[in-house]
Amino acid sequence: MESCKEASTSMPSSCYMDADVVAKGVDQTKYRGLIGSLLYLTTSRPDIMFVVCLCARYQANPKESHFKVAKRILKYLKGTTNVGLWYPSDSPIHLIGYSDSDFAGFKLDRKSTSGTCILLGPSIISWHSKKQTCVLFLLQRLNTLLLEAAVHKFFGLNNNLQILD
């Protein structure tokens, strides 16, 4: 991988990952080792969190197409060694939270993925992404659940900041 071409994105926008039952399987131990290393790296590189978690869904029966996407993440990392989390000491302390979801975005089971991130000044301090456990047909209910989780986390962090003052 040292002489590989760098990638500008962690996953092509036209990529569609599925179980790929007709493709040739790859060594499960090697694939799991790669995914485990990438999951460890997500603590300092949240930009790869989504695609690494997507690859992690196929650890039980990995195929060549899944391994190709995982290698693409490595190519992306090689080209973005200057990217990471940065916490400047002179920034103002204000808490901002965001949340989003893709309704029925996973094509195999039509389950949604939701996520939140919380910033302290310009720096991210907390993020969360979760594939829903069931298919929700009521989009309003999913929005309410997502908002409740984000607000709960936000207020918990806000209380911790007040204690520190």
Side-chain angles (χ1 to χ4, degrees):
M1 294 292 305
E2 289 178 15
S3 61
C4 72
K5 186 178 178 182
E6 299 171 357
S8 59
T9 60
S10 59
M11 184 175 174
S13 59
S14 61
C15 183
Y16 169 69
M17 286 185 69
D18 60 4
D20 202 3
V21 292
V22 296
K24 182 180 173 189
V26 296
D27 181 18
Q28 192 177 45
T29 305
K30 189 175 181 180
Y31 185 77
R32 284 184 175 182
L34 175 58
I35 297 303
S37 298
L38 289 170
L39 283 169
Y40 178 77
L41 188 59
T42 59
T43 57
S44 63
R45 292 291 303 265
D47 55 326
I48 62 170
M49 178 69 81
F50 176 78
V51 69
V52 170
C53 289
L54 189 61
C55 289
R57 293 177 183 174
Y58 301 102
Q59 291 185 78
N61 192 16
K63 303 293 183 178
E64 286 180 342
S65 60
H66 306 133
F67 198 68
K68 185 177 177 183
V69 173
K71 286 195 300 188
R72 165 95 183 208
I73 300 169
L74 294 176
K75 292 177 182 180
Y76 169 72
L77 291 170
K78 182 181 179 194
T80 57
T81 55
N82 60 337
V83 176
L85 296 178
W86 180 56
Y87 298 102
S89 61
D90 59 345
S91 64
I93 297 180
H94 53 278
L95 206 55
I96 302 171
Y98 297 97
S99 65
D100 195 11
S101 60
D102 72 335
F103 304 109
F106 193 53
K107 303 292 186 236
L108 291 179
D109 56 13
R110 306 302 295 165
K111 292 181 181 175
S112 301
T113 302
S114 61
T116 61
C117 71
I118 298 178
L119 295 103
L120 182 62
S123 305
I124 191 164
I125 59 168
S126 175
W127 63 89
H128 174 78
S129 177
K130 182 179 179 183
K131 183 178 173 186
Q132 301 303 317
T133 56
C134 61
V135 178
L136 290 175
F137 294 105
L138 300 172
L139 299 180
Q140 184 178 7
R141 178 67 180 145
L142 180 60
N143 277 337
T144 304
L145 292 173
L146 178 61
L147 188 58
E148 283 177 11
V151 168
H152 179 69
K153 187 160 200 146
F154 185 82
F155 281 117
L157 287 169
N158 196 25
N159 288 340
N160 290 340
L161 283 175
Q162 289 175 357
I163 291 170
L164 291 175
D165 281 343

mmCIF file of all heavy atoms in Angstrom, residues 8 13 18 20 23-24 30 35 40-41 48 50 55 60 74-76 90 101 125 129 131 139 144 151 157-158 161:
data_model
loop_
_atom_site.group_PDB
_atom_site.id
_atom_site.type_symbol
_atom_site.label_atom_id
_atom_site.label_comp_id
_atom_site.label_asym_id
_atom_site.label_seq_id
_atom_site.Cartn_x
_atom_site.Cartn_y
_atom_site.Cartn_z
ATOM 1 N N SER A 8 -9.132 10.790 -3.053
ATOM 2 C CA SER A 8 -9.581 12.072 -2.503
ATOM 3 C C SER A 8 -10.801 11.933 -1.594
ATOM 4 O O SER A 8 -11.103 12.828 -0.812
ATOM 5 C CB SER A 8 -9.890 13.045 -3.638
ATOM 6 O OG SER A 8 -10.898 12.512 -4.469
ATOM 7 N N SER A 13 -19.031 8.192 -4.407
ATOM 8 C CA SER A 13 -20.454 8.488 -4.213
ATOM 9 C C SER A 13 -21.354 7.507 -4.952
ATOM 10 O O SER A 13 -22.504 7.331 -4.596
ATOM 11 C CB SER A 13 -20.759 9.913 -4.654
ATOM 12 O OG SER A 13 -20.411 10.080 -6.006
ATOM 13 N N ASP A 18 -23.570 -4.026 -0.660
ATOM 14 C CA ASP A 18 -24.594 -4.966 -0.245
ATOM 15 C C ASP A 18 -23.922 -6.288 0.115
ATOM 16 O O ASP A 18 -22.697 -6.374 0.154
ATOM 17 C CB ASP A 18 -25.665 -5.146 -1.320
ATOM 18 C CG ASP A 18 -25.122 -5.673 -2.633
ATOM 19 O OD1 ASP A 18 -23.923 -5.984 -2.703
ATOM 20 O OD2 ASP A 18 -25.893 -5.775 -3.593
ATOM 21 N N ASP A 20 -23.531 -8.939 -1.575
ATOM 22 C CA ASP A 20 -22.725 -9.400 -2.707
ATOM 23 C C ASP A 20 -22.535 -10.918 -2.666
ATOM 24 O O ASP A 20 -21.412 -11.425 -2.602
ATOM 25 C CB ASP A 20 -21.370 -8.683 -2.706
ATOM 26 C CG ASP A 20 -20.729 -8.691 -4.086
ATOM 27 O OD1 ASP A 20 -21.352 -9.199 -5.034
ATOM 28 O OD2 ASP A 20 -19.599 -8.181 -4.206
ATOM 29 N N ALA A 23 -20.057 -12.785 -5.300
ATOM 30 C CA ALA A 23 -18.625 -12.491 -5.358
ATOM 31 C C ALA A 23 -17.816 -13.511 -4.564
ATOM 32 O O ALA A 23 -18.334 -14.221 -3.700
ATOM 33 C CB ALA A 23 -18.353 -11.088 -4.837
ATOM 34 N N LYS A 24 -16.535 -13.528 -4.856
ATOM 35 C CA LYS A 24 -15.608 -14.425 -4.182
ATOM 36 C C LYS A 24 -15.316 -13.897 -2.770
ATOM 37 O O LYS A 24 -15.125 -12.708 -2.566
ATOM 38 C CB LYS A 24 -14.313 -14.504 -4.982
ATOM 39 C CG LYS A 24 -13.289 -15.437 -4.427
ATOM 40 C CD LYS A 24 -12.039 -15.439 -5.282
ATOM 41 C CE LYS A 24 -10.951 -16.253 -4.604
ATOM 42 N NZ LYS A 24 -9.668 -16.100 -5.288
ATOM 43 N N LYS A 30 -8.172 -11.561 8.028
ATOM 44 C CA LYS A 30 -7.489 -10.380 7.479
ATOM 45 C C LYS A 30 -8.446 -9.192 7.391
ATOM 46 O O LYS A 30 -8.095 -8.069 7.747
ATOM 47 C CB LYS A 30 -6.940 -10.729 6.092
ATOM 48 C CG LYS A 30 -6.037 -9.706 5.496
ATOM 49 C CD LYS A 30 -5.463 -10.215 4.168
ATOM 50 C CE LYS A 30 -4.528 -9.218 3.552
ATOM 51 N NZ LYS A 30 -3.974 -9.702 2.282
ATOM 52 N N ILE A 35 -10.579 -3.960 9.557
ATOM 53 C CA ILE A 35 -11.715 -3.190 10.060
ATOM 54 C C ILE A 35 -11.482 -2.788 11.518
ATOM 55 O O ILE A 35 -11.777 -1.658 11.916
ATOM 56 C CB ILE A 35 -13.035 -3.980 9.909
ATOM 57 C CG1 ILE A 35 -13.337 -4.240 8.429
ATOM 58 C CG2 ILE A 35 -14.193 -3.247 10.568
ATOM 59 C CD1 ILE A 35 -13.413 -2.996 7.570
ATOM 60 N N TYR A 40 -10.383 1.638 15.334
ATOM 61 C CA TYR A 40 -9.537 2.282 16.331
ATOM 62 C C TYR A 40 -9.136 3.679 15.859
ATOM 63 O O TYR A 40 -9.107 4.627 16.636
ATOM 64 C CB TYR A 40 -8.295 1.416 16.593
ATOM 65 C CG TYR A 40 -7.336 2.032 17.574
ATOM 66 C CD1 TYR A 40 -7.607 1.998 18.943
ATOM 67 C CD2 TYR A 40 -6.170 2.649 17.147
ATOM 68 C CE1 TYR A 40 -6.739 2.564 19.860
ATOM 69 C CE2 TYR A 40 -5.290 3.215 18.063
ATOM 70 C CZ TYR A 40 -5.576 3.166 19.410
ATOM 71 O OH TYR A 40 -4.715 3.737 20.299
ATOM 72 N N LEU A 41 -8.864 3.805 14.582
ATOM 73 C CA LEU A 41 -8.429 5.077 14.019
ATOM 74 C C LEU A 41 -9.545 6.122 13.993
ATOM 75 O O LEU A 41 -9.282 7.323 13.980
ATOM 76 C CB LEU A 41 -7.884 4.855 12.605
ATOM 77 C CG LEU A 41 -7.209 6.013 11.912
ATOM 78 C CD1 LEU A 41 -6.012 6.496 12.724
ATOM 79 C CD2 LEU A 41 -6.753 5.601 10.528
ATOM 80 N N ILE A 48 -13.929 9.227 8.654
ATOM 81 C CA ILE A 48 -14.035 7.884 8.066
ATOM 82 C C ILE A 48 -15.028 7.004 8.822
ATOM 83 O O ILE A 48 -15.207 5.839 8.478
ATOM 84 C CB ILE A 48 -12.662 7.186 8.003
ATOM 85 C CG1 ILE A 48 -12.071 6.989 9.398
ATOM 86 C CG2 ILE A 48 -11.719 7.937 7.086
ATOM 87 C CD1 ILE A 48 -10.850 6.093 9.432
ATOM 88 N N PHE A 50 -18.359 6.775 9.057
ATOM 89 C CA PHE A 50 -19.501 6.174 8.352
ATOM 90 C C PHE A 50 -19.076 5.005 7.477
ATOM 91 O O PHE A 50 -19.644 3.921 7.557
ATOM 92 C CB PHE A 50 -20.231 7.231 7.508
ATOM 93 C CG PHE A 50 -21.351 6.638 6.705
ATOM 94 C CD1 PHE A 50 -22.552 6.327 7.305
ATOM 95 C CD2 PHE A 50 -21.191 6.357 5.358
ATOM 96 C CE1 PHE A 50 -23.592 5.744 6.579
ATOM 97 C CE2 PHE A 50 -22.214 5.787 4.625
ATOM 98 C CZ PHE A 50 -23.416 5.476 5.244
ATOM 99 N N CYS A 55 -18.458 -0.872 6.320
ATOM 100 C CA CYS A 55 -17.641 -2.061 6.035
ATOM 101 C C CYS A 55 -17.745 -3.081 7.169
ATOM 102 O O CYS A 55 -17.706 -4.292 6.927
ATOM 103 C CB CYS A 55 -16.183 -1.670 5.832
ATOM 104 S SG CYS A 55 -15.855 -0.795 4.298
ATOM 105 N N ALA A 60 -18.878 -10.838 8.952
ATOM 106 C CA ALA A 60 -19.220 -12.253 9.042
ATOM 107 C C ALA A 60 -18.941 -13.001 7.743
ATOM 108 O O ALA A 60 -18.552 -14.171 7.766
ATOM 109 C CB ALA A 60 -20.685 -12.413 9.428
ATOM 110 N N LEU A 74 -7.953 3.105 3.147
ATOM 111 C CA LEU A 74 -6.509 3.238 3.378
ATOM 112 C C LEU A 74 -5.879 4.205 2.386
ATOM 113 O O LEU A 74 -5.011 5.006 2.753
ATOM 114 C CB LEU A 74 -5.828 1.871 3.291
ATOM 115 C CG LEU A 74 -6.199 0.859 4.371
ATOM 116 C CD1 LEU A 74 -5.531 -0.475 4.100
ATOM 117 C CD2 LEU A 74 -5.819 1.377 5.748
ATOM 118 N N LYS A 75 -6.322 4.153 1.140
ATOM 119 C CA LYS A 75 -5.805 5.090 0.130
ATOM 120 C C LYS A 75 -6.204 6.522 0.471
ATOM 121 O O LYS A 75 -5.428 7.458 0.288
ATOM 122 C CB LYS A 75 -6.329 4.717 -1.257
ATOM 123 C CG LYS A 75 -5.780 3.409 -1.788
ATOM 124 C CD LYS A 75 -6.390 3.071 -3.128
ATOM 125 C CE LYS A 75 -5.890 1.744 -3.646
ATOM 126 N NZ LYS A 75 -6.478 1.409 -4.954
ATOM 127 N N TYR A 76 -7.407 6.690 0.983
ATOM 128 C CA TYR A 76 -7.866 8.012 1.410
ATOM 129 C C TYR A 76 -7.016 8.513 2.576
ATOM 130 O O TYR A 76 -6.606 9.673 2.609
ATOM 131 C CB TYR A 76 -9.342 7.946 1.802
ATOM 132 C CG TYR A 76 -9.859 9.178 2.492
ATOM 133 C CD1 TYR A 76 -10.059 10.361 1.786
ATOM 134 C CD2 TYR A 76 -10.140 9.177 3.851
ATOM 135 C CE1 TYR A 76 -10.532 11.501 2.416
ATOM 136 C CE2 TYR A 76 -10.610 10.311 4.485
ATOM 137 C CZ TYR A 76 -10.810 11.469 3.763
ATOM 138 O OH TYR A 76 -11.268 12.593 4.386
ATOM 139 N N ASP A 90 -7.353 29.001 22.274
ATOM 140 C CA ASP A 90 -7.850 30.376 22.346
ATOM 141 C C ASP A 90 -9.255 30.559 21.765
ATOM 142 O O ASP A 90 -9.696 31.675 21.572
ATOM 143 C CB ASP A 90 -6.879 31.316 21.628
ATOM 144 C CG ASP A 90 -6.683 30.934 20.169
ATOM 145 O OD1 ASP A 90 -7.053 29.810 19.786
ATOM 146 O OD2 ASP A 90 -6.155 31.770 19.410
ATOM 147 N N SER A 101 -30.354 12.370 9.789
ATOM 148 C CA SER A 101 -30.630 10.955 9.551
ATOM 149 C C SER A 101 -30.938 10.739 8.078
ATOM 150 O O SER A 101 -31.341 11.657 7.375
ATOM 151 C CB SER A 101 -31.803 10.483 10.418
ATOM 152 O OG SER A 101 -32.957 11.231 10.117
ATOM 153 N N ILE A 125 -16.435 17.458 19.914
ATOM 154 C CA ILE A 125 -16.100 16.762 21.157
ATOM 155 C C ILE A 125 -16.904 15.476 21.319
ATOM 156 O O ILE A 125 -16.553 14.626 22.133
ATOM 157 C CB ILE A 125 -16.291 17.664 22.389
ATOM 158 C CG1 ILE A 125 -17.728 18.158 22.484
ATOM 159 C CG2 ILE A 125 -15.316 18.811 22.369
ATOM 160 C CD1 ILE A 125 -18.067 18.815 23.804
ATOM 161 N N SER A 129 -23.267 7.790 15.685
ATOM 162 C CA SER A 129 -23.975 7.329 14.500
ATOM 163 C C SER A 129 -24.537 5.952 14.814
ATOM 164 O O SER A 129 -23.844 5.116 15.401
ATOM 165 C CB SER A 129 -23.015 7.244 13.310
ATOM 166 O OG SER A 129 -23.682 6.744 12.185
ATOM 167 N N LYS A 131 -27.311 2.766 13.326
ATOM 168 C CA LYS A 131 -28.311 2.178 12.445
ATOM 169 C C LYS A 131 -29.492 1.770 13.317
ATOM 170 O O LYS A 131 -29.321 1.144 14.363
ATOM 171 C CB LYS A 131 -27.732 0.957 11.736
ATOM 172 C CG LYS A 131 -28.679 0.319 10.756
ATOM 173 C CD LYS A 131 -28.005 -0.850 10.070
ATOM 174 C CE LYS A 131 -28.966 -1.599 9.210
ATOM 175 N NZ LYS A 131 -28.372 -2.809 8.658
ATOM 176 N N LEU A 139 -41.862 8.922 9.785
ATOM 177 C CA LEU A 139 -40.676 9.765 9.776
ATOM 178 C C LEU A 139 -40.685 10.762 10.925
ATOM 179 O O LEU A 139 -39.648 11.084 11.489
ATOM 180 C CB LEU A 139 -40.549 10.495 8.435
ATOM 181 C CG LEU A 139 -40.406 9.603 7.208
ATOM 182 C CD1 LEU A 139 -40.286 10.459 5.959
ATOM 183 C CD2 LEU A 139 -39.227 8.682 7.343
ATOM 184 N N THR A 144 -38.337 12.656 16.081
ATOM 185 C CA THR A 144 -38.512 12.922 17.504
ATOM 186 C C THR A 144 -37.508 12.137 18.326
ATOM 187 O O THR A 144 -36.880 12.677 19.239
ATOM 188 C CB THR A 144 -39.948 12.566 17.942
ATOM 189 O OG1 THR A 144 -40.862 13.287 17.126
ATOM 190 C CG2 THR A 144 -40.177 12.903 19.403
ATOM 191 N N VAL A 151 -30.640 16.085 22.213
ATOM 192 C CA VAL A 151 -30.865 17.064 23.282
ATOM 193 C C VAL A 151 -30.377 16.511 24.621
ATOM 194 O O VAL A 151 -29.742 17.214 25.408
ATOM 195 C CB VAL A 151 -32.356 17.464 23.352
ATOM 196 C CG1 VAL A 151 -32.676 18.226 24.611
ATOM 197 C CG2 VAL A 151 -32.731 18.283 22.125
ATOM 198 N N LEU A 157 -23.657 17.322 28.377
ATOM 199 C CA LEU A 157 -22.371 17.993 28.178
ATOM 200 C C LEU A 157 -22.405 19.421 28.726
ATOM 201 O O LEU A 157 -21.435 19.901 29.293
ATOM 202 C CB LEU A 157 -21.997 18.001 26.705
ATOM 203 C CG LEU A 157 -21.547 16.658 26.150
ATOM 204 C CD1 LEU A 157 -21.461 16.714 24.622
ATOM 205 C CD2 LEU A 157 -20.223 16.237 26.748
ATOM 206 N N ASN A 158 -23.534 20.095 28.544
ATOM 207 C CA ASN A 158 -23.667 21.450 29.052
ATOM 208 C C ASN A 158 -23.550 21.478 30.575
ATOM 209 O O ASN A 158 -22.908 22.332 31.146
ATOM 210 C CB ASN A 158 -24.999 22.056 28.586
ATOM 211 C CG ASN A 158 -25.030 23.569 28.744
ATOM 212 O OD1 ASN A 158 -23.985 24.213 28.746
ATOM 213 N ND2 ASN A 158 -26.215 24.108 28.872
ATOM 214 N N LEU A 161 -19.964 21.123 31.552
ATOM 215 C CA LEU A 161 -19.225 22.379 31.367
ATOM 216 C C LEU A 161 -19.487 23.347 32.506
ATOM 217 O O LEU A 161 -18.590 24.058 32.953
ATOM 218 C CB LEU A 161 -19.594 23.020 30.037
ATOM 219 C CG LEU A 161 -18.976 22.405 28.786
ATOM 220 C CD1 LEU A 161 -19.525 23.070 27.538
ATOM 221 C CD2 LEU A 161 -17.470 22.512 28.827
#
